[in-house]
Amino acid sequence: MAKSYLLIITHSTDDQDRANSAIALAVSLISDGADVALFFTFDGALLAKKGVAETVAGRNFTPVRELFPMLLEANIPLYLCAACAKTYGIAEADLVPGVKIITLPTLAREMPSRETITL
């Protein structure tokens, strides 16, 4: 059975190195056969918005614009914090395909079955 992870991604355009490393880690885990889910919160919520991932490029990493499609192809759970969606003005129509807006109680139900890492 593959190990399960929940990556809580807290950065995007505010800290491109951290955002890029988080996405790179997610892709690496998936490539190694891990069961991965992503939760976008705080500034990381912007990665759930169409067009933002393409603008993030950390130093010394493969740019997010090249990595993000791998996440989408893997068809992993992609969650956006409902409160953050409101804070950043991200509507359902703005979402990257496959992203689901969820509340914290819903996230809490996902956490016991996964190792949780905040990035």
Side-chain angles (χ1 to χ4, degrees):
M1 176 180 224
K3 187 136 185 182
S4 296
Y5 297 95
L6 171 64
L7 302 183
I8 299 176
I9 300 180
T10 61
H11 295 282
S12 61
T13 56
D14 65 307
D15 189 331
Q16 294 196 25
D17 287 337
R18 288 181 189 214
N20 206 147
S21 67
I23 298 301
L25 176 60
V27 169
S28 295
L29 289 168
I30 292 165
S31 296
D32 284 344
D35 176 21
V36 177
L38 302 182
F39 180 66
F40 302 105
T41 190
F42 303 115
D43 284 301
L46 293 173
L47 288 173
K49 187 175 180 180
K50 290 177 188 169
V52 174
E54 291 83 356
T55 69
V56 176
R59 295 171 288 185
N60 302 309
F61 291 101
T62 301
V64 173
R65 72 178 167 276
E66 294 177 33
L67 297 172
F68 213 80
M70 295 177 200
L71 297 178
L72 300 178
E73 289 170 16
N75 200 32
I76 64 169
L78 301 171
Y79 302 124
L80 171 60
C81 167
C84 297
K86 289 180 184 177
T87 299
Y88 290 94
I90 303 170
E92 291 275 346
D94 300 326
L95 295 177
V96 169
V99 174
K100 181 179 177 184
I101 297 174
I102 65 169
T103 61
L104 291 179
T106 302
L107 178 69
R109 287 190 292 276
E110 180 86 17
M111 293 175 78
S113 64
R114 297 178 180 275
E115 183 173 337
T116 302
I117 302 169
T118 301
L119 303 160

